[in-house]
Amino acid sequence: MTEPTSQAARPTPTDHSATIKASLKRRYRAETRFRWYGRIAIAFGLAAVLVLFVDIISKGHGAFKTTHIAVPVEYDLAQLGVRDLNDNQQLALADWDALFKSGLRELLPDVSGRSARRELYRMVSNGAGYDLKDRLQANPRLANQREQVWLSADDDIDTYFKGLLDGDPYTARVTEQQIEWIDELRSAGQIRTQWNRNFWTRGDSREPEQAGIWGAVMGSLFTLAITFALSFPIGVSAAIYLEEFAPRNRFTDFIEININNLAAVPSIIFGLLGLAIFINFFGVPRSIPILGGLVLTLMTLPTIIITSRAAIKAVPPSIREAALGMGASKHQVVLHHVLPLAMPGMLTGAIIGMAQALGETAPLLMIGMVAFIVDIPQAFTDPATVLPVQIFLWADSPERAFVEKTSAAIMVLLGFLIIMNTTAVWIRKRLERRW
Amino acid sequence: MAINNDRPIPTQSVGAQFHDNARMSMRDVNIFYGDKQAIFDVSLDIGQNEVMAMIGPSGCGKSTFLRSLNRMNDTIEGCRVVGDIAMDGQDLYDSKLDVVELRARVGMVFQKPNPFPKSIYDNVAYGPKIHGLAESRVDLDEIVESSLRKASLWNEVKDRLHQPGTGLSGGQQQRLCIARAIAVNPEVILMDEPCSALDPIATAKIEELIEELSENFTIAIVTHSMQQAARVSHRTAYFHLGRLIEVNPTEQVFTMPEHELTEGYITGRFG
Amino acid sequence: MQASTLLFIVIALAVFGYFSGYGRSLKVAKPLGSIRHLHSLPSYYGIQTAIWCALPALALLAIWQLFADTLIHSYLMAGLGELITDQADYNLTLNRIINVASGALPATGQSDYVVAAAAQLNSIAAIQKWALTILVLTLCSAGGLWSWRRIAADFRARAAVENVLQKFLLACASLAILTTLGIVMSVLFESIQFFQTVPVSEFVFGTSWSPQTAIRVDQIGSSGSFGAVPLFTGTLLISAIAMVVAVPVGLMSAIYLAEYASPKFRRSAKPLLEILAGVPTVVYGFFAALTVAPLIRDLGASFGLNVAAESALAAGSVMGIMIIPFISSLADDVITAVPQSMRDGSLAMGATKSETIRNVVIPAALPGIVGGILLAASRAIGETMIVVMAAGMAANLTANPLEAVTTVTVQIVTLLTGDQEFDSAKTLAAFALGLMLFIVTLGLNFLALRIVKKYREQYD
């Protein structure tokens, strides 16, 4: 190779080769290092997913089972002071706790002394009396009969017993005596864990063993129904307007800026809006699903509008032109052709928006959906709480047994979210057309 | 067209494939994309300080072939090269060979000007910087200036070296890319249709530049334009459907081609 | 009649209106030959009638529902006149009257004027119910009848229907503006009230925050308990920790997925990472409070460090994990948008892959990445549940990540949950914090969206 003579100051190509060769080792080390940074970052992210799920599942799986104690019960109406099973006042006044108390004494006859007995009675849930009342009311033929009933144990007993089964009992909240009794019951086969029905069928309670998520699930359902009923039609309409009809002017630009910004406004701000406008100005009652639905509608609208617009954009202009060429009006083109073709994409967006709304907590705290509500909501106007808020409430509760409940409720919530997201993916895969 | 029927595409190339003073030599090169073969049994030498033009109809594999000369086809998923490609006797596809080093020796200029989103100065200084070729700032300034001068761009940009390279016109951008390539003082420069995105005036400037550069560098250029091949190159290789049909001194290719396919192409019967 | 029953009747009448409009258009068409002689399809005449039947009536119903109670209440309270002076007293008395009227409170034992007002309220309520029913039904039938009579062969029913539809679509789109307006008004008005008792300068520059002590209204100004600086620094500290976790991890995983990973790995790893974005924040809060915080505390203890139970580090790092997918997917978008020719140019110079990424790809994608990071920062600042559950309540002015700090969002939640008198300085302070939060996040979003948009235009 001929070297340009004018460039005498510059090194020759062979010199370059040497320089480059010398630098290669260092540069390849940097390359390997860089690659490893990437691998470590991804491993960190994936590990976070794994740890999160394993942590929740390991904490929560126990809540689906609960400890029950077999107690002999005699429904002695005379002792209860009940003459007529249909008289609610008599039923309300009766001492139902006496039923299981005598049963427990029968079960462990050696227990004597007031404090020891009180400890014994504390082994079963203090809702057990009401459970027995409900049982008798549902089946009046049990009156004056004897039977063995599996009563749910108190949450501390439950925690201890389940820990015992796993070989790692938590003893801080049970007494020595109770541990002895549990051993006795265990060898007699009078204590066991069984499917936790309360968790699936009840509302909130201060007693962990009585608390369930059904109230919150219904609340979430009502709230989401309102959210969907409002946000989907409004969001789709807005998207249609912006994509198909809006003139290019400042007003339209302003709408778009607003939508984009609202999509990134912190959710808690929507809670403030709900509190100031809906509750204080319009006088909507607190804590009801309608109110929650209104707030969540405003929050999810930007998501739905943005995804719906993308779906409309994906419909090729040739279809619009074909329909316009047939003499259809612009509205007919949109309603008859564009909308059906864009529907799968819009539905996908709506489901993703609903999943967001289902997991949202902060704005609902502002509008009173954080109240302690035992009754299961039956209508859109009943005070209610929702799943994530229920999780928040339980996470805040001091009882150790609520940790398990909280994790289990999280599993239920994540289950719903997984179902919704897979449905969205499925719709997109099956129904969406590729042009 | 009767040609294909009368005479099937030859497995042997015709003309002066080989060169006494070869800078790069390719022997029986086959290139595959997955299961599809793009280049069949190409043997060719590129001589020292020679400008080798590669012409042929679209899809004939000339760009693929060019990219294999500095292993830029490594970046394409599933691309495989069989055969020998050597530079100064060293096999380019030897597992011990370093692509980084190779690419510093064999530079490349692309179809569309692709200046980095950096200043003009940083674009040119990029190569020397990553390879550690400049000892000092003064050194680097000197390399940048001489590269820009060699690319005949210095006078146009010397007052705005620190403005973004993307702000230049298309022809200037391409010359910037050439300056960038020669800043590391490569031995061979590959040009993949360097003028296809430029207007005639800018094209003329680049062609002029290629001629000047051939004094110092060995150049292989793929081009769409037969006139360009005729104007700038010493030898011309004609590719057809992945095969090298004919290689001969440029003048000969364009006046009395040895092969009917070549003749058909340059007389505009197909292509 | 109940509002819901009324609504039902109006809808039923609208359906009836549709069919009678449809029928009339057919009747009009009959003497002309066929429906081809009508301007529009019969269904448009039906819809036209139904719209006129339902729309005005529903509008009246909605407006009535929204404002009737407020008007009646203020009328009642005006009647009480000088008996009520204080704002708090006003609300209390009004509630008492409403409860007495509905029978929730026994009338015995209440002051005479309350009982009288309750009786008045009941009679007004009865009258207004009847008035509403009559008005709505009249409007409904009048509207329906009017548009029914307008049906003629040359009546442009389709244009009329499309006109209404168009307005409806516009109204839906404008809801975004209304929402923004609603947000601004709700935080602004309460904030102005707040700043009448606490000066802005004290709120923004004061370093002591203890809203609990500010019970006596006349002492707020001098006690200086509404200085929000500790909240701002706390928010910044936790957000900064989150960004320290999320930016390198998110960015590097985006780079690896976009530049190095095989398509197969990318297809499975990307959705797995994005699971992190779909997990509700309350779950992260639980994770932070029950798993990460004790872990960090124990870890600190083993090094002899005293770590607070609700350390900023725990909340911040979990928030960082939450933000990883935001950064990585935004960065992935912008990195893949960098044209391949740039990479080729650099690789052809003999640059290694990482040199190409660091020197060419990242600088080219930088505006987009910065935009993504700003959006993520705004998300971190506005994040609520993680900090409510895992950060502290006490307003400490510290930069030590091992100590407990509180944030703007935590204070908004604590000030506004539970039963509070609405107009106290304490609740108003929450709105002032909300205003700050809104301004900051709005600014960040606006900036980020502009940067990203500019970047997109560059390569489109």
Side-chain angles (χ1 to χ4, degrees):
Chain A
M1 174 143 191
T2 33
E3 240 341 272
T5 43
S6 58
Q7 300 297 316
R10 292 187 53 188
T12 61
T14 35
D15 278 346
H16 273 185
S17 265
T19 324
I20 292 170
K21 257 200 187 104
S23 74
L24 278 180
K25 216 171 164 191
R26 175 182 53 78
R27 288 167 65 189
Y28 279 127
R29 265 209 306 277
E31 172 76 28
T32 318
R33 232 180 6 249
F34 193 74
R35 239 172 241 246
W36 273 106
Y37 292 152
R39 289 202 186 107
I40 290 167
I42 292 198
F44 181 84
L46 296 182
V49 177
L50 193 72
V51 168
L52 190 67
F53 276 76
V54 167
D55 183 54
I56 300 289
I57 291 172
S58 67
K59 279 198 178 111
H61 73 278
F64 298 112
K65 291 211 154 184
T66 182
T67 308
H68 286 244
I69 300 173
V71 182
V73 173
E74 188 178 353
Y75 301 96
D76 187 345
L77 291 192
Q79 208 171 359
L80 282 168
V82 175
R83 267 157 293 139
D84 179 7
L85 276 177
N86 295 320
D87 186 346
N88 278 330
Q89 197 160 5
Q90 280 182 18
L91 291 176
L93 289 173
D95 180 14
W96 297 96
D97 287 359
L99 289 181
F100 71 79
K101 281 180 181 169
S102 63
L104 280 171
R105 281 198 305 270
E106 207 175 302
L107 208 56
L108 297 161
D110 306 342
V111 181
S112 58
R114 277 184 67 163
S115 66
R117 282 203 173 147
R118 206 174 301 138
E119 236 171 68
L120 176 66
Y121 300 152
R122 231 180 268 143
M123 301 245 311
V124 297
S125 161
N126 54 11
Y130 295 104
D131 291 349
L132 289 173
K133 175 188 148 209
D134 293 344
R135 202 175 158 80
L136 182 59
Q137 253 183 315
N139 191 1
R141 268 179 301 169
L142 285 174
N144 297 319
Q145 300 291 313
R146 263 181 82 87
E147 65 164 349
Q148 178 170 280
V149 184
W150 287 95
L151 288 174
S152 65
D154 184 67
D155 57 303
D156 291 328
I157 303 297
D158 181 46
T159 309
Y160 168 76
F161 185 68
K162 280 192 287 204
L164 192 65
L165 293 182
D166 294 341
D168 177 28
Y170 176 76
T171 53
R173 302 269 308 166
V174 284
T175 62
E176 298 271 329
Q177 263 184 318
Q178 283 176 329
I179 291 175
E180 271 173 40
W181 295 333
I182 288 171
D183 284 342
E184 225 171 290
L185 288 171
R186 199 181 172 194
S187 52
Q190 299 282 77
I191 186 168
R192 66 171 191 204
T193 60
Q194 63 181 54
W195 179 245
N196 190 350
R197 259 190 87 232
N198 282 354
F199 181 72
W200 295 102
T201 54
R202 301 222 173 170
D204 198 6
S205 167
R206 299 271 185 233
E207 301 299 328
E209 75 276 4
Q210 300 276 323
I213 54 162
W214 189 241
V217 169
M218 289 307 285
S220 274
L221 225 59
F222 282 125
T223 309
L224 275 197
I226 296 272
T227 310
F228 184 78
L230 289 174
S231 67
F232 189 60
I234 296 178
V236 167
S237 304
I240 290 176
Y241 179 78
L242 291 173
E243 277 304 313
E244 300 283 342
F245 297 111
R248 290 276 140 247
N249 60 19
R250 284 204 183 165
F251 185 66
T252 310
D253 285 348
F254 187 58
I255 292 179
E256 295 199 15
I257 291 173
N258 272 295
I259 290 172
N260 286 333
N261 278 318
L262 283 178
V265 163
S267 57
I268 191 172
I269 300 276
F270 287 96
L272 291 179
L273 167 87
L275 179 57
I277 304 274
F278 292 137
I279 295 183
N280 286 331
F281 189 70
F282 288 132
V284 181
R286 284 166 163 266
S287 308
I288 63 171
I290 292 181
L291 178 60
L294 281 171
V295 170
L296 291 180
T297 296
L298 294 184
M299 212 194 74
T300 46
L301 260 182
T303 312
I304 295 185
I305 294 176
I306 291 169
T307 47
S308 298
R309 288 185 71 177
I312 294 174
K313 257 193 200 124
V315 176
S318 59
I319 289 189
R320 296 183 182 81
E321 283 156 14
L324 282 173
M326 301 279 296
S329 75
K330 181 92 194 181
H331 287 83
Q332 287 170 326
V333 171
V334 171
L335 290 178
H336 299 165
H337 299 279
V338 176
L339 202 55
L341 290 172
M343 199 40 89
M346 292 173 163
L347 272 178
T348 313
I351 294 173
I352 290 169
M354 288 304 110
Q356 248 176 38
L358 175 60
E360 197 52 69
T361 321
L364 302 180
L365 300 184
M366 305 284 91
I367 54 170
M369 293 195 90
V370 67
F372 172 70
I373 291 156
V374 179
D375 296 326
I376 290 162
Q378 305 291 338
F380 292 110
T381 47
D382 285 350
T385 187
V386 293
L387 258 179
V389 175
Q390 186 68 72
I391 291 167
F392 169 66
L393 283 171
W394 282 351
D396 242 17
S397 305
E399 288 89 351
R400 191 184 162 89
F402 269 126
V403 172
E404 193 179 76
K405 298 269 169 213
T406 314
S407 309
I410 288 175
M411 284 159 75
V412 174
L413 176 62
L414 290 177
F416 277 121
L417 290 176
I418 290 170
I419 291 172
M420 290 170 89
N421 282 307
T422 23
T423 315
V425 171
W426 184 80
I427 290 181
R428 188 160 44 199
K429 279 215 174 113
R430 289 295 298 273
L431 299 177
E432 209 166 51
R433 251 172 236 240
R434 294 255 165 254
W435 303 101
Chain B
M1 202 173 353
I3 299 161
N4 285 341
N5 299 337
D6 294 349
R7 227 172 114 175
I9 299 166
T11 44
Q12 282 293 311
S13 319
V14 299
Q17 285 162 270
F18 307 110
H19 197 281
D20 299 336
N21 190 9
R23 188 87 238 195
M24 301 192 87
S25 52
M26 292 63 92
R27 294 292 178 268
D28 301 320
V29 174
N30 290 281
I31 302 180
F32 303 86
Y33 288 116
D35 298 330
K36 211 179 136 257
Q37 186 161 8
I39 289 287
F40 299 85
D41 298 318
V42 171
S43 294
L44 182 68
D45 278 345
I46 301 174
Q48 175 78 45
N49 286 37
E50 183 179 42
V51 179
M52 164 71 81
M54 300 174 186
I55 60 171
S58 319
C60 67
K62 51 195 190 307
S63 284
T64 304
F65 184 66
L66 189 77
R67 286 173 81 97
S68 74
L69 299 185
N70 73 342
R71 290 185 54 181
M72 275 308 283
N73 50 6
D74 284 11
T75 59
I76 298 161
E77 200 82 23
C79 180
R80 199 155 48 86
V81 178
V82 179
D84 296 321
I85 302 180
M87 182 171 176
D88 298 336
Q90 191 187 13
D91 183 7
L92 298 193
Y93 285 81
D94 187 347
S95 59
K96 270 178 275 173
L97 178 121
D98 202 290
V99 271
V100 167
E101 200 193 337
L102 168 69
R103 288 176 187 157
R105 291 171 67 194
V106 183
M108 188 157 185
V109 176
F110 295 85
Q111 198 166 350
K112 241 181 92 191
N114 56 350
F116 302 138
K118 297 167 178 281
S119 71
I120 294 169
Y121 181 94
D122 286 335
N123 260 286
V124 181
Y126 179 71
K129 263 189 197 159
I130 57 168
H131 293 304
L133 300 180
E135 312 260 296
S136 64
R137 182 81 194 179
V138 184
D139 234 8
L140 196 60
D141 288 348
E142 208 175 292
I143 295 177
V144 169
E145 182 178 339
S146 77
S147 308
L148 284 170
R149 273 187 198 286
K150 279 196 244 171
S152 342
L153 194 59
W154 176 252
N155 289 330
E156 291 160 58
V157 300
K158 63 181 176 204
D159 300 324
R160 44 171 174 158
L161 284 178
H162 294 285
Q163 284 172 19
T166 43
L168 297 172
S169 74
Q172 287 173 323
Q173 285 190 7
Q174 194 62 300
R175 275 182 283 150
L176 178 63
C177 292
I178 292 174
R180 188 175 73 189
I182 59 185
V184 291
N185 214 349
E187 297 155 45
V188 180
I189 302 175
L190 310 175
M191 297 187 174
D192 188 359
E193 302 188 21
C195 302
S196 64
L198 304 181
D199 61 74
I201 296 171
T203 302
K205 276 211 165 124
I206 303 272
E207 288 178 1
E208 216 172 283
L209 178 60
I210 292 172
E211 221 169 312
E212 281 168 31
L213 290 174
S214 69
E215 285 172 26
N216 297 327
F217 303 95
T218 301
I219 295 172
I221 176 169
V222 164
T223 174
H224 239 50
S225 142
M226 283 177 279
Q227 290 83 349
Q228 184 168 66
R231 282 193 295 264
V232 301
S233 71
H234 305 142
R235 275 199 303 157
T236 297
Y238 173 67
F239 284 75
H240 189 95
L241 292 176
R243 291 178 197 277
L244 175 60
I245 306 298
E246 173 174 352
V247 197
N248 266 319
T250 301
E251 212 172 318
Q252 188 191 338
V253 171
F254 286 99
T255 50
M256 2 168 219
E258 221 172 298
H259 199 283
E260 285 173 40
L261 281 171
T262 321
E263 194 186 349
Y265 181 67
I266 61 166
T267 52
R269 273 196 273 153
F270 61 90
Chain C
M1 212 177 292
Q2 283 296 316
S4 51
T5 328
L6 211 50
L7 185 72
F8 190 73
I9 292 175
V10 169
I11 291 172
L13 279 175
V15 173
F16 175 72
Y18 173 82
F19 285 110
S20 56
Y22 193 98
R24 183 174 162 95
S25 73
L26 289 182
K27 214 177 265 170
V28 166
K30 213 166 206 173
L32 297 172
S34 76
I35 58 165
R36 267 192 306 123
H37 297 283
L38 292 176
H39 172 269
S40 314
L41 288 172
S43 59
Y44 281 106
Y45 292 96
I47 296 172
Q48 157 77 8
T49 314
I51 287 174
W52 275 104
C53 189
L55 219 52
L58 289 180
L60 176 74
L61 192 61
I63 292 171
W64 194 290
Q65 287 294 320
L66 286 177
F67 295 107
D69 276 359
T70 325
L71 283 179
I72 292 171
H73 292 164
S74 55
Y75 170 73
L76 265 186
M77 297 311 282
L80 292 179
E82 58 279 358
L83 281 169
I84 315 295
T85 47
D86 202 338
Q87 181 72 25
D89 221 18
Y90 179 97
N91 289 334
L92 207 66
T93 317
L94 180 58
N95 273 328
R96 195 172 291 158
I97 293 171
I98 292 169
N99 284 332
V100 169
S102 68
L105 266 182
T108 47
Q110 299 292 344
S111 346
D112 290 344
Y113 67 89
V114 170
V115 179
Q120 199 186 357
L121 177 64
N122 276 337
S123 65
I124 293 177
I127 294 169
Q128 70 109 358
K129 244 178 206 167
W130 276 110
L132 177 65
T133 309
I134 291 165
L135 267 176
V136 165
L137 292 184
T138 314
L139 207 56
C140 188
S141 17
L145 204 64
W146 177 69
S147 83
W148 184 76
R149 287 178 59 109
R150 275 173 73 192
I151 295 175
D154 59 347
F155 176 60
R156 299 164 158 272
R158 200 191 69 211
V161 169
E162 287 180 352
N163 195 11
V164 172
L165 183 65
Q166 179 83 2
K167 295 218 168 88
F168 171 74
L169 294 179
L170 175 63
C172 288
S174 309
L175 194 62
I177 297 177
L178 274 186
T179 309
T180 312
L181 201 69
I183 289 175
V184 171
M185 291 211 304
S186 55
V187 292
L188 204 61
F189 284 145
E190 316 292 346
S191 300
I192 289 171
Q193 272 198 52
F194 174 74
F195 289 130
Q196 277 163 359
T197 45
V198 180
V200 182
S201 58
E202 193 189 314
F203 178 72
V204 177
F205 300 112
T207 55
S208 144
W209 176 269
S210 60
Q212 268 65 21
T213 58
I215 295 167
R216 274 174 297 170
V217 180
D218 52 328
Q219 281 199 339
I220 294 169
S222 54
S223 70
S225 50
F226 281 103
V229 168
L231 310 190
F232 298 150
T233 56
T235 308
L236 281 183
L237 178 62
I238 289 185
S239 305
I241 295 169
M243 298 311 278
V244 164
V245 172
V247 171
V249 175
L251 204 54
M252 280 314 294
S253 28
I255 289 171
Y256 191 84
L257 286 178
E259 302 280 339
Y260 287 110
S262 67
K264 207 174 142 200
F265 181 73
R266 187 182 152 89
R267 264 200 307 276
S268 47
K270 220 179 157 205
L272 276 176
L273 270 184
E274 271 159 16
I275 288 178
L276 287 175
V279 173
T281 52
V282 69
V283 178
Y284 283 111
F286 179 72
F287 182 62
L290 265 94
T291 305
V292 178
L295 193 79
I296 290 178
R297 198 182 44 199
D298 294 349
L299 213 66
S302 68
F303 287 109
L305 288 170
N306 191 15
V307 182
E310 297 175 317
S311 62
L313 189 58
S317 52
V318 171
M319 195 190 282
I321 291 175
M322 181 192 83
I323 290 173
I324 290 172
F326 288 100
I327 294 193
S328 76
S329 66
L330 278 166
D332 190 82
D333 284 352
V334 294
I335 286 172
T336 41
V338 173
Q340 181 62 31
S341 67
M342 294 264 179
R343 295 185 185 86
D344 282 351
S346 169
L347 291 174
M349 303 282 305
T352 63
K353 212 156 182 185
S354 65
E355 283 164 352
T356 303
I357 293 165
R358 274 178 297 166
N359 295 320
V360 177
V361 178
I362 298 293
L366 199 60
I369 292 173
V370 169
I373 290 175
L374 286 182
L375 277 182
S378 128
R379 196 143 196 132
I381 289 171
E383 170 48 41
T384 309
M385 290 321 292
I386 294 179
V387 282
V388 165
M389 295 169 81
M393 294 285 180
N396 289 330
L397 189 57
T398 174
N400 182 354
L402 302 181
E403 278 183 46
V405 293
T406 192
T407 72
V408 172
T409 47
V410 170
Q411 289 305 316
I412 294 178
V413 170
T414 34
L415 291 177
L416 286 182
T417 45
D419 293 323
Q420 249 109 29
E421 195 54 52
F422 189 71
D423 284 333
S424 74
K426 205 171 140 183
T427 33
L428 291 177
F431 283 90
L433 289 174
L435 179 67
M436 293 291 148
L437 186 61
F438 183 66
I439 291 173
V440 169
T441 52
L442 191 72
L444 280 175
N445 297 338
F446 199 68
L447 198 66
L449 289 174
R450 290 204 76 146
I451 293 176
V452 171
K453 200 174 162 209
K454 265 230 166 88
Y455 169 78
R456 291 238 169 86
E457 280 162 2
Q458 189 188 332
Y459 288 115
D460 271 350

